[in-house]
Amino acid sequence: RRTDPFNGQWTLAFAADPTLEGRLWAGGASLRRSDDGGGIWVTVGNFTAVSSINAHGGRLAVLGRRGGDTIKKIYSSPD
């Protein structure tokens, strides 16, 4: 069963990693990840605003703001 990653709040960005079955990412007021195709969502990192996500091969790029940021920045996961 799939669930809403933000419980009715706006989802502003969404990505599915084509190389990892079931791995979904959702962005809005935070960054959320599901490893089971949308059944369970967990908050990842300390993002306070996410407007774009790109995922591939287990790596992630996020345009967003984290605690302490005054503007949105591009964050990427390590190789």
Side-chain angles (χ1 to χ4, degrees), residues 40-79:
I40 298 172
W41 293 91
V42 295
T43 300
V44 179
N46 65 341
F47 287 91
T48 59
V50 174
S51 57
S52 184
I53 306 169
N54 191 343
H56 193 276
R59 290 178 285 193
L60 184 68
V62 176
L63 174 61
R65 188 174 26 232
R66 297 172 76 175
D69 290 345
T70 56
I71 61 172
K72 289 184 180 176
K73 300 176 183 178
I74 298 172
Y75 291 92
S76 62
S77 61
D79 292 339

Side-chain angles (χ1 to χ4, degrees), residues 28-42:
S30 64
L31 178 64
R32 311 260 331 199
R33 183 188 77 221
S34 175
D35 292 324
D36 65 357
I40 298 172
W41 293 91
V42 295

Side-chain angles (χ1 to χ4, degrees), residues 4-30:
D4 181 343
F6 294 105
N7 298 316
Q9 297 179 18
W10 287 97
T11 299
L12 302 177
F14 192 84
D17 190 326
T19 64
L20 296 172
E21 185 176 346
R23 173 73 52 93
L24 303 174
W25 295 91
S30 64

